């Protein structure tokens, strides 16, 4: 038995085939790399030619390379935020719309296998696209300023974001019958995570600073920092600049010698791991209306089911 | 093989099924008959572990569907009334996918799938993409999919719907073969005459209530569905017509150049007695036969629309 037969279950195998057989897959990869490539080239052009007051060209140094890395990273984060819901928010509802779900549910594949395989196949495709952008990042390496460790941690962070948005997409796809509704809800939650948390942080931190700007002894700790820990951009920034975490928890320059209670990216990972697990649990519970009863219930077999027993484990 | 007891399904205020009771023994081909929205598909979906009943029990092969869904799924092959296919898969890949989904080892599938394709007459389409198949072919492919794990029970919801006459005949022939293979089959169809040829028993359902269940002939007798007797005599046809009009169980008599047509609601004994009387009175009877009533007549007789009102 070769490894693929052992590790790739039928649902995953089918998903891989279906996804990669359409020209859309290759087109998506190509357009994605092109978009990121244009951003990189655009940044280089702007820093070398447009930002030069002397009229000539400016040398592209390691500092600029680091700045380009940040620009690419945030651009990619935004692109993942757009791509992940589109790839995952229809995985179950589209099967329902195409009328293939009922047949899949009468096979021996467990609910967990179906949900995780669907998610994994979407994640694999997203990972393929993101890894395909590595050559664009190689421009950064040419000029230095970024370590391979930072690149690896960035890509792991991307994987986590994909997992988060993917799990939410799969959950809404399982709950809602129509793909369009599932996509809208997933994007709405995505906007909340990416935008609302950031805006909330900015609003509350400015309020905090206003309140304590004239104080002789400003408080040594600000809980507002926890809100930025829920924002992917904030968490990503703390990966590159760990000092950020310290500054968001200790505003007005107070107690800057004290460590942050938690790194923003750690808070982000902890909170959203719970969200991921919860989303997958709900998806697995919701996909099949009829599930095996718990052991103690099987003992009393002849019991007539009540409508409240709607989901049986 | 299948036991349904006091099965009910309620969607909000709407009762899709009301206390259905049904028993189907092994090897039986059971025809599920009823108008659209009567509850056929709901019953089949419950048996296929896709819908949770509100109350009551349903067992397949001894396993209660809500308690042992995985075991039930092993025993059944389910074909829904509307289904889609994975267009980007080839026919052979489609069957491999479902075979693997039933945990059938690849070596077994390699032998099994050509046989299934042969059974449903799709051997020459094994490398074609599923989306290139006609509707009839997709229907047959779906039937092959149902059989991939050799289930004991086949639950076929309107398997012939939307097919042209030729495709319907092909489907019927395949079902006959499956019957010979000893499968227990529950089949619903709105094309009743086609069912009549192959079903052992029928169940008539209307407004979620099982109106009648049993052998077609038994139901016909029990319901005293009006028969049409066709009688030919050598002579004295007018006189015979007058005689028949006054007889019990006769609701109408029509005389034409082909003979006398009698609407008769009696059973077999009354029918034999009528013939005996005619002969004792000296009518020169050439032929005395019953025009066959079919499943459609039974269905129409039972579902007069009086239920649920």
């Amino acid at each position: 038995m070769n490894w693929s037969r052992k590790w790739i279950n039928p649902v995953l195998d089918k998903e891989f085939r279906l996804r990669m057989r359409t020209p859309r897959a290759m087109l998506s990869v190509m357009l994605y790399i092109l978009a990121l490539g244009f951003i990189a080239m655009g940044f280089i052009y702007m820093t070398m030619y447009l930002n030069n007051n002397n009229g000539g060209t400016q040398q592209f140094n390691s500092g600029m390379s680091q700045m380009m890395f940040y620009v690419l990273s945030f651009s990619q984060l935004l692109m993942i935020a757009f791509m992940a819901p589109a790839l995952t928010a229809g995985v179950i509802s589209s099967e329902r719309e195409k009328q293939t779900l009922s047949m899949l549910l009468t096979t021996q594949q467990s609910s967990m296998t179906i949900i995780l395989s669907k998610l994994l196949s979407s994640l694999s495709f997203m990972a393929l696209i993101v890894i395909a952008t590595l050559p664009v990042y190689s421009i950064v390496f040419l000029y230095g300023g970024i370590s391979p460790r930072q690149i690896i941690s960035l890509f792991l962070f991307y994987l986590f974001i994909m997992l988060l948005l993917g799990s939410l997409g799969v959950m809404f796809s399982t709950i809602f019958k129509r793909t369009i509704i599932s996509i809208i809800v997933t994007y709405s939650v995505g906007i909340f995570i990416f935008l609302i948390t950031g805006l909330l942080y900015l609003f509350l931190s400015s309020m905090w600073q206003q309140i304590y700007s004239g104080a002789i002894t400003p408080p040594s700790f600000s809980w507002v920092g926890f809100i930025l820990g829920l924002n992917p951009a904030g968490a990503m920034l703390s990966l590159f600049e760990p000092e950020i975490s310290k500054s968001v928890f200790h505003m007005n320059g107070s107690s800057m010698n004290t460590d942050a209670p938690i790194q923003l990216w750690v808070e982000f990972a902890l909170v959203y791991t719970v969200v991921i697990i919860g989303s997958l649990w709900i998806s697995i519970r919701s996909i099949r209306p009829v599930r095996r009863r718990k052991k103690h219930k099987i003992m009393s077999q002849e019991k007539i089911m009540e409508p409240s027993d709607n989901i049986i484990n | 093989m299948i036991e349904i007891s006091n099965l009910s399904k309620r969607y909000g205020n709407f009762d899709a099924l009301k206390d259905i009771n049904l028993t189907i023994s092994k090897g039986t081909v059971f025809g599920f008959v009823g108008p659209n929205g009567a509850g056929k598909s709901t019953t089949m979906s419950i048996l296929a572990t896709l819908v949770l009943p509100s109350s009551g029990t349903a067992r397949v092969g001894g396993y209660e569907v809500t308690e042992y869904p995985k075991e039930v799924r092993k025993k059944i092959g389910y074909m829904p009334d509307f289904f889609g296919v994975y267009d980007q898969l080839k026919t052979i890949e489609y069957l491999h996918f479902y075979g693997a989904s039933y945990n059938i080892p690849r070596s077994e599938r390699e032998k099994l799938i050509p046989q299934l394709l042969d059974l449903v007459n799709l051997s020459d389409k094994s490398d074609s993409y599923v989306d290139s198949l006609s509707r009839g072919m997709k229907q047959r492919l779906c039937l092959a999919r149902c059989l991939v794990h050799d289930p004991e029970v086949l639950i076929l919801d309107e398997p012939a719907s939307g097919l042209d006459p030729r495709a319907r005949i092909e489907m019927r022939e395949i079902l006959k073969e499956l019957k010979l293979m000893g499968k227990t089959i529950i089949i619903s169809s709105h094309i009743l005459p086609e069912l009549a040829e192959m079903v052992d028993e029928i169940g008539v359902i209307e407004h979620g209530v099982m109106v009648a269940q049993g052998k077609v002939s038994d139901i016909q007798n029990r319901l005293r569905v009006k028969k049409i007797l066709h009688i030919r005599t050598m002579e004295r046809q007018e006189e015979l017509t007058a005689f028949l009009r006054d007889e019990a169980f006769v609701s109408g008599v029509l005389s034409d150049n082909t003979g006398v047509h009698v609407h008769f609601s009696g059973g077999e004994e009354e029918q034999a007695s009528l013939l005996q009387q005619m002969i004792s009175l000296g009518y020169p009877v050439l032929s005395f036969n019953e025009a066959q009533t079919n499943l459609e007549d039974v269905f129409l007789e039972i579902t007069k629309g009086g239920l649920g009102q």
Side-chain angles (χ1 to χ4, degrees):
Chain A
M1 181 183 280
N2 64 36
W3 69 270
S4 65
R5 282 180 197 167
K6 193 173 178 184
W7 294 106
I8 297 180
N9 68 53
V11 182
L12 196 56
D13 179 68
K14 187 258 298 176
E15 289 296 315
F16 282 152
R17 282 174 199 267
L18 292 182
R19 193 177 294 281
M20 299 311 289
R21 272 190 181 160
T22 56
R24 202 173 54 183
M26 292 306 112
L27 205 66
S28 307
V29 177
M30 193 181 79
L31 290 175
Y32 192 94
I33 298 170
L34 271 178
L36 208 66
F38 274 123
I39 291 169
M41 292 303 157
F43 180 82
I44 292 171
Y45 177 77
M46 286 202 319
T47 47
M48 286 181 78
Y49 297 98
L50 300 184
N51 283 351
N52 191 0
N53 298 328
N54 302 328
T57 56
Q58 193 181 329
Q59 201 71 32
F60 197 82
N61 56 37
S62 64
M64 288 176 183
S65 166
Q66 198 173 29
M67 182 55 72
M68 190 175 95
F69 175 71
Y70 290 171
V71 168
L72 283 181
S73 303
F74 280 101
S75 305
Q76 178 122 294
L77 184 67
L78 208 63
M79 285 159 81
I80 288 171
F82 275 105
M83 179 176 64
L87 285 173
T88 55
V91 289
I92 300 296
S93 52
S94 67
E95 287 248 11
R96 204 180 277 122
E97 284 168 349
K98 285 184 202 162
Q99 297 173 323
T100 49
L101 187 64
S102 61
M103 294 186 289
L104 183 61
L105 294 180
T106 54
T107 66
Q108 290 294 299
Q109 297 300 304
S110 67
S111 303
M112 188 188 276
T113 306
I114 294 170
I115 292 292
L116 293 185
S117 302
K118 292 271 187 187
L119 177 65
L120 194 59
S121 81
S122 303
L123 286 182
S124 306
F125 184 64
M126 282 189 273
L128 172 75
I129 291 181
V130 171
I131 288 167
T133 61
L134 268 175
V136 181
Y137 281 86
S138 66
I139 301 169
V140 175
F141 282 115
L142 283 177
Y143 297 97
I146 294 298
S147 68
R149 195 187 139 274
Q150 279 177 303
I151 291 273
I152 291 168
S153 56
L154 174 72
F155 276 72
L156 288 176
F157 184 76
Y158 284 154
L159 204 63
F160 186 78
I161 291 285
M162 289 187 258
L163 187 62
L164 169 65
L165 294 174
S167 306
L168 289 168
V170 171
M171 179 181 72
F172 292 128
S173 176
T174 311
I175 293 170
F176 296 111
K177 286 187 176 165
R178 291 180 61 201
T179 302
I180 187 73
I181 295 172
S182 168
I183 288 176
I184 290 169
V185 176
T186 311
Y187 272 117
S188 305
V189 175
I191 286 170
F192 178 83
I193 293 171
F194 276 77
L195 200 66
I196 306 295
T197 52
L199 290 176
L200 199 64
Y201 167 74
L202 290 175
F203 175 71
L204 290 174
S205 63
S206 69
M207 271 183 69
W208 185 279
Q209 278 177 344
Q210 266 185 355
I211 292 167
Y212 294 105
S213 59
I216 300 162
T217 50
S220 59
F221 174 75
S222 161
W223 54 266
V224 176
F226 283 113
I227 294 170
L228 193 63
L230 300 176
N231 184 276
M236 198 170 81
L237 203 62
S238 77
L239 269 179
F240 306 143
E241 309 278 353
E243 290 298 308
I244 292 282
S245 302
K246 204 186 281 186
S247 65
V248 297
F249 284 108
H250 304 288
M251 289 183 182
N252 298 325
S254 62
S255 309
M256 281 302 280
N257 293 329
T258 320
D259 273 343
I262 191 168
Q263 280 289 334
L264 293 182
W265 68 268
V266 176
E267 181 200 335
F268 185 86
L270 288 175
V271 170
Y272 287 114
T273 298
V274 175
V275 173
I276 291 167
I277 292 170
S279 304
L280 293 176
W281 185 78
I282 292 170
S283 307
I284 291 165
R285 296 280 299 178
S286 312
I287 191 170
R288 272 194 172 105
V290 180
R291 291 151 56 82
R292 186 188 290 274
R293 276 186 180 185
K294 285 194 176 92
K295 202 120 189 171
H296 68 272
K297 284 194 176 176
I298 294 172
M299 302 302 280
S300 55
Q301 281 185 15
E302 296 305 316
K303 177 180 172 274
I304 291 174
M305 283 178 49
E306 297 298 328
S308 57
D309 292 337
N310 228 20
I311 302 292
I312 303 162
N313 191 22
Chain B
M1 180 54 76
I2 292 170
E3 289 171 76
I4 293 176
S5 172
N6 300 318
L7 195 71
S8 297
K9 178 67 191 176
R10 180 173 264 265
Y11 295 103
N13 291 327
F14 173 70
D15 283 316
L17 292 178
K18 293 178 207 161
D19 284 330
I20 297 278
N21 289 290
L22 181 67
T23 305
I24 302 168
S25 49
K26 194 174 164 64
T28 302
V29 179
F30 184 86
F32 219 173
V33 183
N36 291 337
K40 305 187 295 288
S41 295
T42 305
T43 310
M44 288 178 151
S45 297
I46 289 172
L47 288 172
T49 73
L50 291 170
V51 171
L52 206 58
S54 301
S55 64
T57 56
R59 290 175 191 278
V60 177
Y63 293 106
E64 214 285 322
V65 292
T66 59
E67 289 173 357
Y68 302 96
K70 200 164 183 182
E71 285 74 11
V72 170
R73 285 177 205 131
K74 274 183 203 168
K75 291 201 169 282
I76 60 161
Y78 172 63
M79 183 171 173
D81 48 354
F82 299 104
F83 64 89
V85 286
Y86 302 112
D87 291 345
Q88 299 294 326
L89 287 184
K90 292 177 177 177
T91 303
I92 195 158
E93 290 172 337
Y94 181 82
L95 291 177
H96 267 292
F97 163 62
Y98 279 103
S101 296
Y102 281 104
N103 304 325
I104 298 168
R106 188 166 187 98
S107 56
E108 271 183 49
R109 279 184 271 141
E110 300 280 8
K111 290 179 217 158
L112 175 75
I113 289 171
Q115 292 170 12
L116 284 174
L117 287 172
D118 188 42
L119 177 74
V120 297
N121 301 321
L122 286 175
S123 297
D124 55 332
K125 297 285 179 187
S126 64
D127 279 325
S128 304
Y129 280 97
V130 175
D131 65 345
S132 70
L133 302 181
S134 68
R135 188 182 165 91
M137 287 173 181
K138 282 180 186 167
Q139 212 90 341
R140 281 184 274 146
L141 179 64
C142 190
L143 191 58
R145 178 198 62 78
C146 291
L147 295 165
V148 79
H149 58 301
D150 193 23
E152 291 174 58
V153 179
L154 288 174
I155 300 170
L156 311 175
D157 197 355
E158 304 277 0
S161 75
L163 298 184
D164 59 45
R166 186 181 185 84
R168 281 209 298 270
I169 291 166
E170 284 171 349
M171 179 62 79
R172 191 178 61 199
E173 293 307 312
I174 296 166
L175 293 175
K176 278 181 185 170
E177 265 187 73
L178 294 173
K179 183 182 178 181
L180 290 175
M181 286 160 74
K183 304 278 183 202
T184 306
I185 304 174
I186 304 185
I187 181 170
S188 73
S189 178
H190 55 261
I191 306 159
L192 296 169
E194 292 191 354
L195 271 187
E197 265 186 49
M198 50 178 296
V199 296
D200 301 311
E201 291 178 20
I202 62 162
V204 184
I205 188 168
E206 192 182 30
H207 298 300
V209 177
M210 189 68 89
V211 188
Q213 182 203 337
K215 289 184 178 170
V216 179
S217 55
D218 288 350
I219 290 176
Q220 280 174 330
N221 286 339
R222 197 177 342 137
L223 291 166
R224 293 191 177 272
V225 175
K226 288 188 186 98
K227 303 168 191 173
I228 297 174
L229 303 176
H230 185 219
I231 305 164
R232 283 175 61 217
T233 55
M234 286 180 71
E235 52 192 31
R236 294 167 66 195
Q237 188 168 318
E238 292 300 310
E239 202 180 322
L240 177 67
T241 305
F243 160 73
L244 288 168
R245 280 200 177 111
D246 295 333
E247 283 301 295
F249 303 106
V250 174
S251 57
V253 183
L254 180 76
S255 178
D256 61 20
N257 53 7
T258 63
V260 184
H261 305 270
V262 182
H263 287 254
F264 189 74
S265 58
E268 286 179 346
E269 275 181 29
E270 290 83 12
Q271 199 174 316
S273 161
L274 183 68
L275 178 61
Q276 220 164 15
Q277 277 189 67
M278 284 160 56
I279 291 167
S280 64
L281 288 169
Y283 292 109
V285 178
L286 266 178
S287 69
F288 181 94
N289 58 293
E290 184 185 326
Q292 195 69 44
T293 46
N294 61 26
L295 206 52
E296 220 153 32
D297 300 319
V298 174
F299 174 68
L300 290 172
E301 181 67 24
I302 295 170
T303 57
K304 280 176 179 167
L307 283 154
Q309 290 173 8

